[in-house]
Amino acid sequence: TTEIYTLSLHDALPIYIQEVQVNTLDSSARFGRPGTVIVVTKSGTNALHGQAYESLQDNSVVGVARQRQNTFTQAPFLINNLFGFGVGGPVYIPKIYNGKNRTFFFFDFSDYKLRQKTSISTSVPTAAQRAGDFSGLTDSSGRPITLYNPYTTGPAPNYQRTPFPNNQIPVSMQSPLSKSLYSIPPLPTDPNVNPAAGNNWIGGARTYQNRDAEMLRIDQTISDKDHLFARIQKATRLIASPSGTGAPLLNDTTNLTYNMYPDRLGVVSWTHTFSPTFFSEFLFSDSWQYFQFYTGTDANNDVDKILGLPNPFGGMGWPAISGTG
């Protein structure tokens, strides 16, 4: 079966798409699989045509409903903006070339921006804990947890250690790494909640996306029997989303995961008609796609410059740190 969808101006798909064919059975032998999707892009015509569009959702102007589990009285920040334009027609260079009936172009540009905050609740260290004071440290059942000085380990077989007085770690024994880690989470929004027993921070975590795409198609009628077209497409995507369910950190980068997707695509096609029932097509296409994932920013060596850890390979961004509680 072949399903043909002819798209109108109001369809939520790129305006450079003219037709979509979905073949779910008995595809042509030219394809390697029984199910295929064929997307036909628009070409220019003898008349110059163009259109522009924009779709905007902005709850700073028009409010949106809150989720039921949202603890805020106001819905989280959201701006969702999709816009673009397309134009096609004959290639015309004044006093040099008139491509009417022969050479046509179609160009499309689209851009998408998302700025959003999501409500989350989590646990963060208290101000006292950041200063080394764990005198109020308990488990989720309220039972005290004792911290021991690791440098006082006794001999076998008991390996006994001496507790820190009043569960407080002296300033001289606090590591630079722990100070760096404790400096970036926000302070509790409810300091009366035990972070071992419940969430003491409620706030918003931001997410944003930037996507843009351009497409240019050139059609050339060589003769009544020969038709040539070339198409190039370029797209870039940046998606930044919170890593896990932690609170947004004060340096605004170390718990954001960035996903980069640059895409490139090129196509050249030559069709020759021998008779009304027999033709040939030569098609060459090349595509390139690159994925990059990192936490933090790729412009910084956070490992050695901020955390003071060995970084022999010059790794960029923020490392994964686990087991900190």
Side-chain angles (χ1 to χ4, degrees):
T1 57
T2 300
E3 305 167 42
I4 300 179
Y5 304 92
T6 301
L7 306 177
S8 71
L9 299 181
H10 302 286
D11 288 305
L13 286 172
I15 58 178
Y16 61 79
I17 294 179
Q18 176 177 309
E19 184 182 283
V20 177
Q21 296 183 16
V22 181
N23 301 322
T24 57
L25 184 65
D26 295 335
S27 293
S28 168
R30 65 193 288 198
F31 302 113
R33 293 187 174 95
T36 59
V37 176
I38 303 172
V39 179
V40 181
T41 55
K42 289 182 180 179
S43 63
T45 62
N46 275 330
L48 184 65
H49 292 285
Q51 67 181 93
Y53 62 90
E54 181 174 18
S55 173
L56 175 63
Q57 183 182 10
D58 186 347
N59 73 345
S60 65
V61 179
V62 179
V64 296
R66 290 186 298 113
Q67 293 182 347
R68 183 162 299 165
Q69 64 271 25
N70 196 317
T71 56
F72 292 101
T73 57
Q74 181 179 356
F77 179 82
L78 173 65
I79 294 180
N80 195 343
N81 193 11
L82 172 65
F83 57 94
F85 68 90
V87 59
V91 175
Y92 177 72
I93 303 176
K95 299 181 181 181
I96 298 177
Y97 183 76
N98 188 347
K100 191 173 183 180
N101 297 322
R102 289 180 294 174
T103 309
F104 311 95
F105 78 95
F106 192 91
F107 176 76
D108 176 88
F109 169 81
S110 62
D111 203 343
Y112 174 73
K113 307 290 187 186
L114 172 67
R115 302 294 183 266
Q116 184 178 18
K117 273 193 174 183
T118 304
S119 301
I120 63 172
S121 60
T122 187
S123 296
V124 295
T126 64
Q129 290 172 348
R130 298 169 200 234
D133 183 359
F134 292 88
S135 56
L137 183 64
T138 67
D139 61 16
S140 58
S141 299
R143 294 171 296 192
I145 297 176
T146 301
L147 299 184
Y148 295 88
N149 188 337
Y151 298 106
T152 61
T153 305
N158 296 324
Y159 302 103
Q160 290 185 344
R161 290 177 173 176
T162 303
F164 282 113
N166 199 29
N167 246 19
Q168 295 185 5
I169 302 174
V171 175
S172 60
M173 296 185 65
Q174 296 173 17
S175 71
L177 176 58
S178 67
K179 291 181 179 180
S180 296
L181 295 180
Y182 277 138
S183 68
I184 55 179
L187 289 169
T189 56
D190 190 347
N192 297 320
V193 174
N194 178 7
N199 294 329
N200 62 353
W201 188 90
I202 297 176
R206 70 187 183 101
T207 298
Y208 69 87
Q209 295 186 29
N210 294 332
R211 302 174 183 235
D212 64 82
E214 299 87 37
M215 190 281 294
L216 174 64
R217 171 170 169 157
I218 302 293
D219 288 75
Q220 177 68 43
T221 300
I222 301 174
S223 67
D224 293 339
K225 296 184 176 181
D226 292 279
H227 178 80
L228 181 71
F229 87 82
R231 184 180 74 245
I232 56 174
Q233 293 174 252
K234 180 176 74 73
T236 57
R237 290 175 286 172
L238 169 63
I239 303 175
S241 56
S243 301
T245 58
L249 302 184
L250 299 180
N251 59 4
D252 206 29
T253 59
T254 51
N255 68 338
L256 274 180
T257 298
Y258 294 83
N259 302 328
M260 303 280 292
Y261 308 91
D263 304 324
R264 305 291 184 270
L265 174 65
V267 177
V268 176
S269 172
W270 171 39
T271 303
H272 178 77
T273 303
F274 294 94
S275 71
T277 58
F278 182 61
F279 72 94
S280 68
E281 180 186 15
F282 169 81
L283 181 69
F284 174 81
S285 65
D286 182 69
S287 62
W288 177 87
Q289 193 172 50
Y290 177 69
F291 297 92
Q292 183 179 15
F293 305 91
Y294 56 89
T295 302
T297 169
D298 61 354
N300 293 328
N301 285 349
D302 294 326
V303 175
D304 47 334
K305 292 185 178 180
I306 296 180
L307 301 180
L309 298 175
N311 188 15
F313 296 105
M316 308 298 280
W318 187 262
I321 300 176
S322 60
T324 62

